[in-house]
Amino acid sequence: MNSSRENGFQGLPVEAYTSREWFDQEQIAVFGKSWHLAGLAEDVTEKGSFLTVQAGNYPMIVLHGHDGRLRAFHNFCRHRGTRLLRGAGKAGKAITCPYHDWTYRCDGTLLSVPNEAEDFPDLDRACLHLKAGSVGFWRGMLFVHPQEDAIPLRDWFGGLEPYLAPYSPEKLVEYPGTQVEYSIRANWKIVAENYIDAYHLAHLHSGTLRMYDHKRIESRFVRDHFVFWQPCSEAYLKNLEINAPYPLIDHSPQEKLGAYVPLLFPGIGLVESEVSWSVFHMQPVAPDETRVVVRSRFAKASGWRFARQYRQSTAFWEQFVRPKYANLDEDDPMGSADFMAEDIYVCEQQQQSFSSPEFEQGPSALVGEKAVREHQELILKKMAEFLS
C-alpha cells in the first residue's frame, strides 16, 4: 500500500478514503476503541427509557434502569445473537428477545428462558447476562464505550475544559425541530479534515462566515482532540446585541466571545458560539458516505424574544452574508450563501477526485492546514497494527 505522502501533502494513502478494507478496520481500531457519542443527557431521563447506538462494529443499548442507574449493554441476545432493541423508547421492566423470548432484567441479568427445565437443564445463567459496556455524561452529552473497563470518560476528555466555551451547555435548551441530518457522499475523514482546516475559512466561506476573525485563530491538539477558537469580527461585535441572530448566551464574558469549534476524537465536532451550542456528529456509513447529525441548544428564552431578535438582526445579515459566487443561482452550493452547503459541496468533490488514477495533492499550508496533517498522523497511529 503506497502512501501518497510522496505528493507533499497527504499523510494517509488514498485507500484510507476509498477502501472497504480500510473502512472496516477503522471501525475496529478507531471507533471500537473510543468513547462514542450516544445522544444528549435529556434523551434517557425516564426510568425504563433506552436508546440504541452503533459504536464502531458494536451495537449498543443505553438504558435508564428502574433503580435509577444508567447502564450500557451490547445489543444482542446471549442465546443466538438476535438484536434486542431498535431505535429509542421505553423498555418496560424487562427486555425480551423477539426470536425465542429469552428475557433480561434492566440490569442486564437473565430473567427467564422458555422451557428452561426441559430444554436447558444445565443452563448456567451467570454466564448469559447481557455483556456490559461503559456509559457516562460530559458537558451535557451522553457517551458509550463498548468496553466495560474503558478509560474513564473524565480522563478521555481530560485537559479540554480550558479550551471550550466558558458556559455550561447543560443550562441551554434544545428546542423542537432544531435537529438536522445530512448525508454527505464523502469519507468521514474528509468531513473531519474540512472541519479542522483553518485555511479554507477565509476563502471558501469568504461571504458566509464573516462574523468571525479568521486572522486571530488559536488552535492546537490536546492529546487526540483538536481545540479551536476565533473571536468575533469587529463588524459583527460592534452592535452584537442587535446583530446576533438569536438571544445571546448571557453568561459568556465579553473577552471570550467567539466560536469554540473543537473536534473530539473521533468525529464529534462541537460548535460553541455566543448564541448557540451544537454537536456536529460525523457517523461513518461507508468508505464514501458520512451521516452527520447536528443537534443544537440555545439560551432559555420566550418565543417572543427569539422573534424580536430575528427581526432586529435581519437587516444586518441581509447585508453581511453573501454567496461565494454572486453570479450563480441560489440552488447552487456556491451561490447559496449557506456555509454548510459550501462545505458539503467541496467534501463531495474531493471524494470524487480520489478515484482518478492521476490524483495527487500539492503542498500543505504551513499554519492553516497543520491540524489536517496532525489528524492524518493520528489516524495512522491508530491504524498501525492494520498497516504493519
Side-chain angles (χ1 to χ4, degrees), residues 162-387:
Y163 304 99
L164 303 178
Y167 55 71
S168 300
E170 303 94 318
K171 297 179 180 179
L172 306 179
V173 180
E174 182 183 27
Y175 293 100
T178 57
Q179 180 171 321
V180 184
E181 296 187 14
Y182 303 92
S183 179
I184 303 176
R185 297 186 299 275
N187 186 274
W188 77 273
K189 293 184 296 299
I190 290 179
V191 180
E193 289 171 9
N194 175 77
Y195 189 87
I196 63 178
D197 177 355
Y199 186 39
H200 85 292
L201 294 175
H203 304 286
L204 176 65
H205 303 311
S206 57
T208 50
L209 290 181
R210 299 174 62 217
M211 68 288 290
Y212 298 112
D213 187 345
H214 308 310
K215 294 181 179 180
R216 296 173 57 196
I217 290 171
E218 297 177 10
S219 66
R220 56 173 293 189
F221 268 86
V222 178
R223 300 201 320 275
D224 292 349
H225 311 291
F226 175 72
V227 294
F228 174 102
W229 176 77
Q230 57 181 343
C232 297
S233 65
E234 290 186 9
Y236 177 49
L237 189 61
K238 186 176 181 180
N239 293 300
L240 184 60
E241 291 188 359
I242 294 176
N243 296 338
Y246 311 117
L248 293 172
I249 298 173
D250 55 15
H251 40 286
S252 295
Q254 181 77 11
E255 68 276 9
K256 293 292 186 178
L257 289 171
Y260 297 77
V261 193
L263 179 67
L264 311 178
F265 188 81
I268 305 167
L270 300 181
V271 183
E272 306 180 323
S273 78
E274 67 285 348
V275 294
S276 64
W277 176 96
S278 299
V279 58
F280 185 92
H281 189 195
M282 308 166 204
Q283 303 172 16
V285 176
D288 59 353
E289 183 181 356
T290 304
R291 175 176 179 255
V292 172
V293 178
V294 181
R295 296 182 65 175
S296 301
R297 289 172 170 153
F298 302 87
K300 188 174 182 179
S302 66
W304 175 85
R305 186 178 171 195
F306 272 91
R308 177 176 177 270
Q309 190 68 39
Y310 175 80
R311 287 195 302 270
Q312 70 181 16
S313 66
T314 297
F316 172 80
W317 290 105
E318 287 179 346
Q319 295 181 10
F320 196 67
V321 173
R322 55 177 182 258
K324 171 75 172 176
Y325 300 123
N327 62 318
L328 295 178
D329 189 87
E330 63 181 15
D331 292 332
D332 188 299
M334 294 295 99
S336 66
D338 181 338
F339 76 90
M340 272 299 300
E342 293 169 345
D343 277 331
I344 291 171
Y345 174 78
V346 297
C347 287
E348 293 183 342
Q349 296 304 305
Q350 188 177 13
Q351 180 71 45
Q352 292 181 30
S353 297
F354 277 113
S355 62
S356 170
E358 293 294 326
F359 175 79
E360 62 180 20
Q361 294 191 39
S364 173
L366 184 64
V367 177
E369 292 171 300
K370 181 174 183 288
V372 175
R373 297 192 300 273
E374 292 178 336
H375 187 259
Q376 292 172 349
E377 291 296 332
L378 176 59
I379 297 296
L380 279 174
K381 180 181 177 181
K382 301 294 183 182
M383 296 286 284
E385 185 176 344
F386 168 65
L387 297 171

Side-chain angles (χ1 to χ4, degrees), residues 32-36 132-136 143-156:
K33 296 182 179 180
S34 303
W35 280 94
H36 189 88
S134 299
V135 66
F143 289 86
V144 65
H145 197 293
Q147 298 174 2
E148 187 175 13
D149 59 349
I151 176 175
L153 188 60
R154 63 180 179 276
D155 295 336
W156 181 260

Side-chain angles (χ1 to χ4, degrees), residues 17-18 50 52 69 79 81 126 136 168 182 188 209:
Y17 302 89
T18 60
F50 73 89
T52 60
R69 285 188 58 188
H79 176 220
S168 300
Y182 303 92
W188 77 273
L209 290 181

